[in-house]
Amino acid sequence: MIFLNSKGFTEIHSPKIVSTGTEGGAQLFKIDYFGTPAYLAQSPQFYKQIMVGVFERVFEIGPVYRAEEHDTTRHLNEYISMDFEMGFIESEQDLIAMQTGMLKHMFAVVREKCEAELALFGAQIPVLTQIPQISLAEAITLLESTTKWRAGKVSANSLPDLDPEAERLLTQHFCAAENSELVYVTKYPHDVRPFYAMPLQETLSDGRTMKLSKSFDLLYRGLEITTGGQRIHNPTELKQSMTERGLDPAQFGDYLQCFRYGMPPHGGLAIGLERLTKQLLGLPTVKLAALFPRDINRLRP
């Protein structure tokens, strides 16, 4: 990737057969690795964090695997993810700024080199300036006050997530209000993000104090294409976050080892390239953006 190389990133290639998952067992494909349980990688997350301690800025483009039993226009069980991780950040805003610059570059290159292909699909490339941001709590309030969408029931200590309808309505709002087909949704509850997400204590508009996270999703024309955020870099806090999720830090010894002698404040994100392609070309399903799609009903050819 020319843009990331120009920003000091080093490309890496991490294993796709791993000993533990990064985001939970429910989404893992289990395999037998010479008599030892192993899994297909959900993400290069642990490896790219480890390599931040070596190269400071790294990226990877490669397949990831999710054992999700979804049969929708937005889900694949094997897809191509573009990940980057960068060290010495001030906050998650550094990640957002880097991705905004990267998307500007990507869209400009596609506009210049793929004119015939874009015309074939009648596709319009967004002209990016600044991508608007809204917190999850603010997004829920906005949707409930301006549309017929209503959040589902949740506990007093959490916030509901945005369902597909809410994602479409939210991007429609920002397209009309700010002429932007993309919007960042920020400050998700910590308990719905992975254990390595950097926590953030914040008082909401209704007076509740909630443990949120310095994380975000990027929505593009009504579909989430990116998840990212700042990570916990203190090993004591990281172990505490693991135990709060019912995880045993001893099972993550190889990962935790890189934090032993100090890791810089860091964070990163992942973009699903098939989803980005789907939204860019206006395809009806993400399966049309994959050469040989793998979903819950398809294993061949």
Side-chain angles (χ1 to χ4, degrees), residues 111-148:
R111 189 181 295 108
E112 176 187 352
K113 296 188 176 182
C114 302
E115 184 177 352
E117 291 81 0
L118 294 172
L120 181 65
F121 288 92
Q124 298 294 320
I125 305 294
V127 177
L128 292 187
T129 52
Q130 194 73 17
I131 300 176
Q133 300 181 33
I134 187 171
S135 72
L136 178 60
E138 292 169 337
I140 292 168
T141 299
L142 173 68
L143 290 172
E144 291 189 329
S145 63
T146 61
T147 74
K148 295 181 179 180

